[in-house]
Amino acid sequence: MSAIDASIVLIALPTIGRDLPNTSPFDLIWVLVGYQLVISAVLVNFGRLADMLGRARLFTLGFAIFTVASGFCSLSQSGTQLVVFRMVQGLGAALLFSNSTAILTDAFPFEERGRALGTNAVAVSGGSVMGLVLGGFLTAVLGWRSIFWVNVPIGVAATVWSHYRLKEQSTRRKGQKLDIPGNIAFAAGVFILLSGISLYAVTSVGDSVAGGLVVGGVAILALFFYVETKVKDPMLKLSLFRNRLFAAGTVAIFLNSLARGAVLLVLVFYLQGPNMGLGPFAAGVFLLPNTAMISLAGPVGGYLSDKKGPRLVATVGLVITATGLLLLSRLPASVDFWGLAIPLAITGIGMGTFAPPNRASVMSAVPPEDRGLAAGISTTLINFGNSLSRSIAFVILALVVPVPQLDDMFVGNYAALGSFTQSFVEGIHLVFLVSAAFVLISIVPSILRGSRRAPEGEAEIESLAEEKP
């Protein structure tokens, strides 16, 4: 459901910009970024809270919050209201994200986790596929508000099912405390950093103001890392990064997210812009090869990881992803379906191959009592990386395209643009080149993660768990 929501909103952005009163380009960016910012800010503490109170209980609560917030999103009367309700929606999504991987890891032994998490990746990417087509269809036929209605019946059914059917399998940890100072510092730092980047890209606020916000955000994030060394139960448990398997996999996740977040975003505006002139439904169909290939490659990557180990499979996935992004960096001003489908499919195969083995490697590197926290840390970095990727993409475009033209594009005012300038096409090329560079860099930690062997003590922990009456 959370994956459907992400792609549904993405494909509808140009329509929201045109039809929702008092919506600025900054609002549109934060419809996406604000949602992921909230997830990033609270995810780790929600993971710890789940370790303390029970993962199944908080997973169910996440469905309920997400469902209610979806209803309010459909009632928004301005861009600001939509951003606020999307951030509330992010609270529910954070409860889902912080518990789903840990629940699956608890339920499966080490040698089956790759396939289990690969199957979960199919649900996520399948939601992305459905979101692109369903979002395009609903937006074209019923308007953008309908993209949030679809979450309500699904969310009600999922909340009821989870409450009655999902059983607690984790061991609760007592005596822990939430890291409130760290949570505040992290949220403030990320909010100020992304605000500075977004304002630079879509407004004439001035380089000094935007630069000051970026520097301030980085300074607060530095303070956050200092706080984490002083509190008893830190939000970011830095000691986990002493484990090479966990550290390498987590860094690879973050770098891959920096590359991935911008891909579909810039293509949405490319496809619905004046040169291509596609409607939201047709644009969603054009983007299907990426998410479809992620769905197909996910379980295959998980299966191969169980047989060959995560290092080889995840690294091959990164190489394939970089190849697809480099092909996308050569897109012409307009393209037919197959001209876009081939590089998108290659990119999707790489992403789907990388994700399950890398996630299984990270989750298996920590003891069972820390899995909620580990899932929270890795997913926080995924969402932060996606948000930062989208903000960086807008900055890259703003470097080569005049800000007024970008503003008209973001709010769907294509009549004022006439046609895409060569500079806009060059900006898209540059976005994909930067994304490919992030993927190529992530190959280094992926290779350095170590062998496929389970962390010392893992097999013993699993065998003892199986012997319990």
Side-chain angles (χ1 to χ4, degrees), residues 213-260:
L213 288 172
V214 170
V215 171
V218 172
I220 295 175
L221 287 175
L223 175 64
F224 161 73
F225 283 103
Y226 174 77
V227 169
E228 297 305 273
T229 65
K230 301 299 181 182
V231 296
K232 179 181 177 182
D233 294 310
M235 170 184 162
L236 185 65
K237 192 173 181 180
L238 297 177
S239 62
L240 290 178
F241 287 87
R242 296 171 186 163
N243 183 310
R244 184 176 67 176
L245 200 63
F246 177 84
T250 303
V251 171
I253 282 176
F254 178 67
L255 291 170
N256 191 59
S257 298
L258 278 176
R260 180 175 179 173

Side-chain angles (χ1 to χ4, degrees), residues 66-78:
F66 192 95
T67 304
V68 172
S70 296
F72 279 105
C73 285
S74 71
L75 302 175
S76 299
Q77 299 301 306
S78 68

Side-chain angles (χ1 to χ4, degrees), residues 8 74 135 137-139 141-151:
I8 271 184
S74 71
F137 175 79
L138 290 175
T139 301
V141 175
L142 299 176
W144 68 266
R145 296 182 188 276
S146 63
I147 66 176
F148 295 106
W149 302 342
V150 71
N151 290 331

Side-chain angles (χ1 to χ4, degrees), residues 107-174:
F108 287 87
F110 174 78
E111 64 273 9
E112 294 180 7
R113 281 182 199 145
R115 273 174 288 179
L117 294 172
T119 303
N120 188 53
V122 171
V124 174
S125 52
S128 297
V129 173
M130 291 175 61
L132 290 173
V133 177
L134 185 62
F137 175 79
L138 290 175
T139 301
V141 175
L142 299 176
W144 68 266
R145 296 182 188 276
S146 63
I147 66 176
F148 295 106
W149 302 342
V150 71
N151 290 331
V152 176
I154 298 173
V156 170
T159 303
V160 173
W161 181 91
S162 179
H163 175 72
Y164 286 104
R165 300 292 295 170
L166 194 60
K167 305 302 180 184
E168 192 64 61
Q169 298 191 57
S170 63
T171 301
R172 300 184 188 180
R173 302 186 67 181
K174 298 180 180 180

